Amino acid sequence: MRDVTPDTISDVFASYFSDETDPRFKEVMAALSRHMHAFVREVGLTHDEWRKGLEAMEWAGRITTPERNEFVLLSDVMGLSSLVDMINSREGATSSSVLGPFHVSDAPPMALRADLKGDFEGEVVLVQGHVRDLEGNAIAHAQLDIWQTAPNGLYSSQDPDQDIMSFHGLMTADENGYYAFTTVRPVSYTVPTDGPVGDILNAAGRHPWRPSHLHFIIKADGYRDLVTEVFPDDDPYLDQDTVFGVRRDLVMRYSPQPAGTFPDGFALSGTVDGPWAKVDFDFKLATK
Ligand code: BEZ
Ligand code: FE
């Protein structure tokens, strides 16, 4: 096609695919180009603006490492990661939510009722619940990969003073799908702002904060893996998560418990003298 115009460029693009092109690849790429072309027409994008966009991508590429992926962060703050989560979640199952960049593979196994906080100080929180199917039946022996920030607002991979496995643990629920562990409250924190994503947030007048949360990846044979987070109902950033990860069903409550009432049977039993908080949260998994 030698007479390409602003109105025909998307169709011309689609006509360049070969007949052997994978149909799903063609569908996705043709739609992507259509929307990108429409975006350029709609805003009347200038050369200068497009160059700035490309420079931001180049910067993102330069600072991306195995530990810090600026493209994933861009997808997160643009709402793309959350939108992909939402349109792929199963009705009735616990919502999925962003994985984030701070998950560490091969977390150490953690016994039922074990403690995640180690030597860190803070108000003790007991988190417990059940993993169930969509009919409410227990899923025996589901595996829960759990991680969170330390009280200083840093994940282990961001903090040279923490062991890489601090605040990371892998728990197997019992035959009734019951899981339980103790920890300290995670805190609200900011996404990294020293790259192009920080500049974009800044230019948009947006803050970089996420509400505090506990991360979970839950796996069980025959069920879809669930990557999610749970958020306390009293967090000031609950309604303005900069990566759009909060869903109504992922909100939990810290229920305050008086001193002297911490139960037996936990790794911390006998050591919790002051008040503590309890969180009850059940997860529902969809079948594959
Ligand atoms: C997190 O939850 O750890 C996270 C998620 C998205 C971007 C940055 C951090
Ligand atoms: Fe997080």
Side-chain angles (χ1 to χ4, degrees):
M1 174 67 71
R2 63 179 62 178
D3 190 20
V4 180
T5 70
D7 290 332
T8 62
I9 188 163
S10 303
D11 290 339
V12 176
F13 179 94
S15 76
Y16 284 179
F17 287 104
S18 88
D19 291 344
E20 284 79 50
T21 308
D22 174 79
R24 177 65 179 161
F25 177 79
K26 185 172 169 180
E27 181 187 2
V28 171
M29 289 305 287
L32 179 62
S33 70
R34 227 175 22 251
H35 288 280
M36 286 167 63
H37 296 156
F39 151 73
V40 171
R41 282 191 300 266
E42 180 185 322
V43 302
L45 200 70
T46 65
H47 282 106
D48 200 36
E49 288 163 343
W50 184 226
R51 186 183 45 74
K52 279 197 184 124
L54 290 175
E55 279 169 7
M57 294 302 112
E58 280 168 31
W59 185 9
R62 277 199 306 280
I63 64 173
T64 290
T65 64
E67 289 77 38
R68 188 247 169 99
N69 191 319
E70 193 73 2
F71 291 99
V72 174
L73 186 58
L74 182 62
S75 157
D76 295 341
V77 303
M78 293 298 289
L80 291 173
S81 308
S82 283
L83 185 54
V84 173
D85 273 345
M86 286 186 278
I87 67 166
N88 285 288
S89 73
R90 193 72 70 81
E91 183 76 30
T94 300
S95 300
S96 57
S97 186
V98 290
L99 172 68
F102 303 119
H103 176 247
V104 174
S105 302
D106 303 321
M110 211 179 144
L112 196 60
R113 302 186 181 84
D115 175 51
L116 196 62
K117 77 177 184 57
D119 295 333
F120 287 84
E121 298 293 332
E123 183 185 357
V124 171
V125 178
L126 189 163
V127 185
Q128 64 179 4
H130 289 83
V131 183
R132 302 188 192 279
D133 66 17
L134 298 195
E135 280 73 50
N137 304 307
I139 299 177
H141 310 304
Q143 196 189 65
L144 296 96
D145 192 344
I146 306 161
W147 71 106
Q148 67 168 86
T149 52
N152 64 0
L154 295 175
Y155 284 92
S156 60
S157 56
Q158 299 174 291
D159 184 356
D161 292 335
Q162 283 184 62
D163 183 280
I164 188 69
M165 290 304 176
S166 103
F167 286 103
H168 289 264
L170 199 59
M171 174 167 293
T172 304
D174 72 10
E175 61 282 6
N176 301 313
Y178 176 73
Y179 75 91
F181 61 96
T182 49
T183 185
V184 287
R185 284 186 189 222
V187 296
S188 325
Y189 62 87
T190 66
V191 301
T193 54
D194 56 345
V197 169
D199 277 12
I200 291 169
L201 292 177
N202 203 22
R206 268 175 64 177
H207 70 70
W209 287 90
R210 295 212 65 207
S212 64
H213 51 266
L214 290 162
H215 286 275
F216 293 87
I217 299 175
I218 306 181
K219 297 183 181 183
D221 286 346
Y223 294 86
R224 286 171 66 160
D225 292 355
L226 174 67
V227 178
T228 196
E229 323 168 84
V230 297
F231 305 86
D233 62 358
D234 59 356
D235 193 288
Y237 294 103
L238 195 65
D239 291 310
Q240 36 178 316
D241 180 6
T242 202
V243 302
F244 312 96
V246 181
R247 316 273 173 270
R248 193 177 291 278
D249 68 312
L250 300 181
V251 177
M252 48 84 160
R253 168 160 295 161
Y254 289 117
S255 156
Q257 307 292 319
T261 61
F262 193 82
D264 291 334
F266 283 78
L268 288 189
S269 301
T271 68
V272 182
D273 301 324
W276 53 286
K278 187 152 70 80
V279 171
D280 288 290
F281 196 88
D282 288 354
F283 296 96
K284 280 201 237 158
L285 304 191
T287 47
K288 279 190 174 149

